[in-house]
Amino acid sequence: MSDILSLSLEDKLYRTKYEPDAAHPHIRVNSDYCVKCGDKPCLFFCPAQVYKPNPNDANLVTVSHENCLECGTCRYGCPFQAIDWQNPDGGMGVKYRYG
Amino acid sequence: MDSDDAVKVDAVVVGGGPGGLAAALSMARAGLETVLIERGEYAGSKNVGGLFYGTVLNSLIPNAFEQAPIERPVSRRSIAYLGPGTHMTVDFGAEAWSQPPYNNTYIVNRSQFDRWLAKQAEEAGATLLEGMVVDDLLYEGNNGTRKVAGVCLRGGEVFHADVVVLAEGANCLVTEKARKALSLRSGRHEQDYAVGVKEIIGLPRATIEERFHLEPHEGIALDFVGVPFEGLVGGGFIYTAKEAIHIGAVAKIETIVKSGRNPNDILDAFKRHPGIRSYLQGGELLEYSAHMLPEGGYHALGELTADGLMIVGDAAGLLNMSLYKEGTNHAMESGRCAGEAAAEAKAAGDFSKAGLAGYERRLQEGVVLSDLKKYTEVPDILSGAPGLFSLYPEKVTKLLVDFFTVTPEPKSVIQKRAIRTFLDDLPKWRFLKDVFRARKML
Ligand SMILES: Cc1cc2nc3c(=O)[nH]c(=O)nc-3n(C[C@H](O)[C@H](O)[C@H](O)COP(=O)(O)OP(=O)(O)OC[C@H]3O[C@@H](n4cnc5c(N)ncnc54)[C@H](O)[C@@H]3O)c2cc1C
Ligand code: SF4
Ligand code: SF4
């Protein structure tokens, strides 16, 4: 069992409830910009690490939209506004029980 | 665009947070046919918060604090600095804060609280449509005479309404589109956002009361600045719920991007600080959450009305970022002002911008804009005098620690050294200037 001070992000996201919508990604990245983006801040500013380095191409990122907490940070943090973020469909996505 | 079987109501509210719910409740009470559309499965399921100032709630619903799902009232508060291995706390409270109405300050689980408030709005006569997304507004007329005539739902349905209240919160996609489509005037500065991450950590009731020195009907709100938030404009908080602790960190997105730190790592650094970790020991994580907050303050406020439209709450940027961090109460107050303005407009049969002028007038006369004006400079002070939350508290903490560090030397030697260390490398002129500016934070 994990101590409360040493939980990984995966452990944390596992405790949060979601209504997953695998078939309808609500996030799309215009990778033309990523190729030009040196710092790739999306790799660290997202509280759910939805954006990860693409294992096949270091210039690109992958998107795990199912982990999204719908905070909105990526809509402001991406220097190229390359992230097209839409509200998930009604009732889908994160579902806070405490909030 | 118009389909023959389209529904027409007096008012549509977009978003079931405290802002939208207060608007819907006020309009329904005034006899307007009101529909509130919330994209979450239920109102509250997307919302994050913690400390709740209840003056508006208690005036909308008398003695609401007796029925609302309040976790604990706030009978004590503290402000603390977390240094490198040191810490310093100012802890304060008043006996009256432990008596009804508990200083109007409560700790709530927002998901549960908003859901309760939604029920009150429904009982007042508003119709709640949950699990539906609004994707855009419906307009009539063009350019110069363009007015809002309803909303478009995902899936293509439309709702016609005399007035639309946008209450989408900080992450406000439809509001942004509408500002462009209607060429609404923006504020002097662009809106500035912070992101908050938090955890709900379950602990037995008795453990919480023992660790925080609370009676069963008491609670505490602790605010923190210091080393875990180095390089950021931000801080942390702990609020005690009944059988859980809310712990979170909030920082400006711009400073997160600059510092290269991940919000979850910032929260972890805060949790592991020696001044914090003992509070959490043995706890069980119940939920991890994140949301943005608008931090631009008064100068970032833009135009909030148009023909057939009012914008309230975080979507309007009405959060007060001073030490009070007042978002929910301001959202509710703006929702109420919008609701009352809509009732006036209905009576006069005029939902134009002029007919809705009662909204901004009420905001101007009321607590929301007077507080935002009072704290106009807070966003600039936070970014412009970072020493206020790191260097100075650190120096004072070190002074205290040095002063009380016991060695075989005579006290006079220890004290002189402590004071000398304190005064050395204190940028005195800047210190005075910063202190002068800091009074505006209060
Ligand atoms: C970590 C954190 C801690 C905070 N702590 C405090 C605190 O201690 N005290 C305090 O006063 N404030 C606090 N706040 C701020 C507070 O949460 C907000 O100010 C408050 O929730 C604003 O209310 P609102 O009604 O404007 O928006 P929200 O509460 O955000 O509600 C907006 C609602 O609209 C819905 N919605 C959005 N877009 C659409 C759409 N297109 N269609 C349908 N529905 C939509 C959302 O699902 C949501 O339910 C905190 C915020 C964060 C992130
Ligand atoms: S920050 Fe934006 S542009 Fe850069 S890699 Fe990420 S998504 Fe692409
Ligand atoms: S909305 Fe927040 S959680 Fe979702 S992808 Fe963007 S930054 Fe990450």
Side-chain angles (χ1 to χ4, degrees):
Chain A
M1 211 197 69
S2 231
D3 178 70
I4 190 72
L5 298 177
S6 55
L7 297 169
S8 67
L9 182 66
E10 287 65 37
D11 294 335
K12 293 191 187 186
L13 294 173
Y14 181 72
R15 294 306 175 99
T16 298
K17 250 184 120 174
Y18 292 93
E19 207 61 64
D21 196 358
H24 300 103
H26 64 287
I27 307 174
R28 247 168 312 167
V29 172
N30 183 341
S31 52
D32 294 351
Y33 290 106
C34 305
V35 176
K36 299 184 273 183
C37 178
D39 293 346
K40 298 202 175 359
C42 63
L43 298 179
F44 56 81
F45 66 55
C46 169
Q49 274 174 20
V50 163
Y51 308 94
K52 295 221 173 68
N54 188 323
N56 302 317
D57 185 342
N59 284 316
L60 303 179
V61 300
T62 63
V63 183
S64 314
H65 75 275
E66 302 94 327
N67 287 341
C68 177
L69 296 165
E70 298 168 35
C71 69
T73 305
C74 52
R75 300 185 53 238
Y76 295 90
C78 166
F80 295 96
Q81 283 168 5
I83 299 172
D84 173 17
W85 191 100
Q86 297 297 327
N87 283 312
D89 280 353
M92 302 311 241
V94 75
K95 199 158 79 180
Y96 294 128
R97 289 160 300 149
Y98 300 89
Chain B
M1 249 196 285
D2 279 12
S3 67
D4 291 336
D5 51 85
V7 195
K8 162 91 201 272
V9 293
D10 292 328
V12 168
V13 179
V14 182
L21 291 166
L25 183 112
S26 314
M27 292 191 289
R29 271 196 192 158
L32 272 73
E33 196 183 346
T34 307
V35 170
L36 182 142
I37 301 168
E38 163 57 45
R39 68 184 184 87
E41 182 188 303
Y42 50 86
S45 59
K46 304 285 186 187
N47 301 347
V48 184
L51 202 62
F52 178 76
Y53 297 102
T55 49
V56 179
L57 175 73
N58 287 331
S59 72
L60 277 174
I61 303 169
N63 293 335
F65 65 90
E66 285 169 0
Q67 332 148 27
I70 283 165
E71 289 287 305
R72 286 174 191 267
V74 175
S75 49
R76 245 171 59 228
R77 304 193 66 145
S78 85
I79 301 174
Y81 166 74
L82 302 172
T86 55
H87 52 96
M88 174 175 69
T89 305
V90 184
D91 185 317
F92 49 99
E95 208 176 356
W97 294 3
S98 297
Q99 320 285 338
Y102 309 103
N103 192 33
N104 291 301
T105 312
Y106 317 102
I107 292 152
V108 299
N109 294 329
R110 279 288 306 281
S111 172
Q112 296 155 12
F113 176 83
D114 290 12
R115 207 173 184 179
W116 172 85
L117 190 58
K119 227 163 129 216
Q120 311 307 306
E122 250 180 334
E123 280 170 17
T127 303
L128 245 62
L129 296 179
E130 295 168 309
M132 291 177 142
V133 187
V134 172
D135 273 329
D136 208 344
L137 296 185
L138 184 68
Y139 299 100
E140 261 170 25
N142 38 27
N143 290 335
T145 60
R146 209 167 202 201
K147 73 169 217 190
V148 176
V151 298
C152 311
L153 299 182
R154 183 159 307 170
E157 264 175 277
V158 299
F159 255 101
H160 290 259
D162 287 324
V163 62
V164 173
V165 177
L166 286 173
E168 294 180 282
N171 193 14
C172 50
L173 282 74
V174 176
T175 308
E176 286 170 14
K177 273 194 224 173
R179 299 199 76 92
K180 281 202 191 104
L182 295 161
S183 314
L184 294 187
R185 190 173 28 78
S186 28
R188 181 135 43 115
H189 301 327
E190 265 195 63
Q191 189 53 274
D192 221 348
Y193 289 96
V195 59
V197 286
K198 71 181 274 208
E199 291 178 18
I200 307 279
I201 296 175
L203 277 168
R205 229 186 150 116
T207 309
I208 291 177
E209 283 156 15
E210 200 182 307
R211 280 184 194 172
F212 293 90
H213 311 293
L214 300 168
E215 299 280 325
H217 62 285
E218 291 178 338
I220 183 166
L222 308 96
D223 283 301
F224 300 89
V225 293
V227 164
F229 313 101
E230 210 144 45
L232 305 165
V233 173
F237 61 83
I238 291 182
Y239 306 140
T240 55
K242 270 197 197 105
E243 296 185 316
I245 288 173
H246 295 213
I247 181 164
V250 177
K252 260 196 179 171
I253 294 177
E254 194 192 306
T255 61
I256 288 183
V257 169
K258 251 189 233 145
S259 70
R261 295 176 69 186
N262 172 263
N264 177 49
D265 295 339
I266 297 166
L267 180 55
D268 280 345
F270 173 46
K271 285 170 65 186
R272 289 177 190 143
H273 189 279
I276 301 295
R277 60 185 176 227
S278 57
Y279 289 134
L280 313 175
Q281 226 57 262
E284 183 200 358
L285 182 70
L286 301 176
E287 188 171 86
Y288 172 69
S289 60
H291 208 72
M292 285 202 301
L293 306 88
E295 287 211 329
Y298 191 71
H299 284 322
L301 290 181
E303 203 172 358
L304 300 181
T305 55
D307 290 339
L309 181 74
M310 293 184 274
I311 308 172
V312 306
D314 276 8
L318 293 173
L319 183 124
N320 171 4
M321 256 331 283
S322 67
L323 283 173
Y324 296 95
K325 279 193 297 189
E326 191 166 6
T328 37
N329 198 38
H330 275 192
M332 286 194 75
E333 170 72 358
S334 62
R336 171 173 69 179
C337 292
E340 289 172 4
E344 272 170 10
K346 164 104 177 153
D350 177 9
F351 288 95
S352 70
K353 186 174 168 72
L356 296 170
Y359 172 48
E360 291 196 64
R361 197 193 64 239
R362 281 180 173 79
L363 282 184
Q364 291 287 356
E365 287 165 359
V367 63
V368 172
L369 286 187
S370 102
D371 276 2
L372 278 189
K373 256 188 232 158
K374 174 164 158 51
Y375 297 110
T376 297
E377 291 179 51
V378 167
D380 293 340
I381 296 171
L382 290 174
S383 328
L388 283 177
F389 299 104
S390 49
L391 177 64
Y392 307 136
E394 181 175 337
K395 292 212 61 116
V396 175
T397 309
K398 186 156 187 345
L399 174 70
L400 288 171
V401 169
D402 288 351
F403 217 88
F404 288 98
T405 294
V406 178
T407 70
E409 298 161 293
K411 293 286 176 290
S412 60
V413 174
I414 297 178
Q415 291 171 357
K416 264 189 210 138
R417 188 175 47 229
I419 293 170
R420 209 177 314 115
T421 319
F422 176 72
L423 290 175
D424 279 357
D425 60 67
L426 181 75
K428 289 172 200 75
W429 172 237
R430 209 185 82 210
F431 174 69
L432 288 176
K433 236 171 53 183
D434 284 351
V435 168
F436 184 69
R437 297 180 77 189
R439 81 195 193 288
K440 297 190 171 146
M441 300 275 307
L442 301 173

